[in-house]
Amino acid sequence: MAIEVAKVELKTVQDASGLEACIGSGQFSADQVIAVIGKTEGNGGVNDFTRILADQAFRRTLMKLGKRSEPQVALIPMVWSGGCDGVITPHATIFARNDKTGPASKSRLAIGTAMSVELLPEDIGRPAMVEKVADGVKAAMRDAGIDNPADVHYVQTKTPLLTIESVRDAQSRGRDVACEVHNSMGVSNGSTGLGIAVALGEIDMPKAEEICHNLDLYSSVASCSSGVELTQAQIVLLGNKPGAGGRYRIGHSVMKDALDIDGIYESIRNAGLALPERPRAEDLNGRVVNCFMKCEADRRGTLRGRRQIMMDDSDVPWHRHIKAAVGGVAAMAIGDAAVFVSVDAMHQGPQGGGPVIAIVDAGA
């Protein structure tokens, strides 16, 4: 069954008019929407309510224009990443599945989704979370009909982080947690990245002491976000599958550091677009639907031998600095400011860099 992909701008934090327009034009129906991955304009922190507002707006639209019930719509994975620092435009990438098929000779975009078993507060940052996420990723592969991990190019997740209430819950059961509340976003993301890497055979199961410490362990296809709105790992897995049908292909690479524009173009090549040796945005001919990337301030405080101060800045958190910087590089690379850039890339790509994924229009 073929996948249709559309990128729409969010005009306000509660705007779903782009989704409504796609449905109204017949690009896909409301009941064909299977996943949404988007950027909202909040602070990207634990208390970023813009993610919840966008989520509610999109789900209301799907209920209004479709036939699915509220419980059914509630099960649709919607991954909202907060923070549009610098030039990043708030937007959403919508994925829909129709009943079309294609020839087995052509490999096209396929998507699988899954929800893990419940992640307890005491699981975050520990082997239990890695194992639960890995099981969920394998379930998403089965849902996509993808057997070979090499055909998986993007695993987008949303996992819980700690709140004061969840810490108290753990304590009431005689359990402790692995980190402080305000560190739990990065720890949740990092543990999830390791779970993805384990599921896809990129690494062996890490030791407990390696989680969030051995940064040589990472996944090249993971993009992990976390928030207060769920207690499971919400998993959207994308890869290429022969005979899937549709126009779209996906590829990936890694950015070795925040300036690695070549890593972005390599992901586009990996998705199947031929590019010149030194490409520019004009060479893409409008065929890149979107790029998705994770980034991280290099903990060594350097970038290509130059001293960096973003981790010493007491006024602006480092994640605002790096997101704006990488967003600018990505926007320049594809000629579009609506790019998905997310921070807290621990165990997601190499230290100081991160995975980059491209979805392209490969034609019929």
Side-chain angles (χ1 to χ4, degrees), residues 218-229:
Y218 62 81
S219 171
S220 296
V221 300
S223 177
C224 308
S225 294
S226 50
V228 298
E229 62 267 32

Side-chain angles (χ1 to χ4, degrees), residues 44-75:
V46 173
N47 64 340
D48 184 352
F49 60 86
T50 65
R51 298 183 297 233
I52 297 173
L53 294 175
D55 190 270
Q56 291 173 342
F58 270 60
R59 294 187 195 277
R60 281 197 303 267
T61 297
L62 293 180
M63 285 187 288
K64 180 178 73 173
L65 300 179
K67 297 179 181 178
R68 286 182 285 191
S69 66
E70 184 173 355
Q72 289 174 318
V73 170
L75 293 176

Side-chain angles (χ1 to χ4, degrees), residues 336-353:
D336 185 356
V339 288
F340 185 94
V341 181
S342 178
V343 294
D344 277 321
M346 190 187 304
H347 296 309
Q348 301 151 73
Q351 185 176 182

Side-chain angles (χ1 to χ4, degrees), residues 1 101-110 144-148 151 239-246 248-249:
M1 301 177 75
T101 58
S105 60
K106 291 184 177 181
S107 189
R108 293 291 186 266
L109 179 65
I146 295 175
D147 300 318
N148 188 350
D151 291 328
N240 296 316
K241 177 185 174 184
Y248 303 96
R249 280 183 56 84

Side-chain angles (χ1 to χ4, degrees), residues 39-44 48 81-91 320 323-324 339 341:
K39 290 294 300 181
T40 65
E41 60 203 78
N43 60 24
D48 184 352
S81 172
C84 288
D85 304 273
V87 300
I88 299 172
T89 297
H91 69 281
R320 311 298 294 263
K323 194 187 305 176
V339 288
V341 181

Side-chain angles (χ1 to χ4, degrees), residues 252-273:
H252 79 278
S253 185
V254 296
M255 293 180 72
K256 298 180 180 66
D257 60 33
L259 302 179
D260 187 16
I261 195 170
D262 290 332
I264 298 173
Y265 288 128
E266 187 54 39
S267 73
I268 295 168
R269 287 192 183 95
N270 189 246
L273 286 191

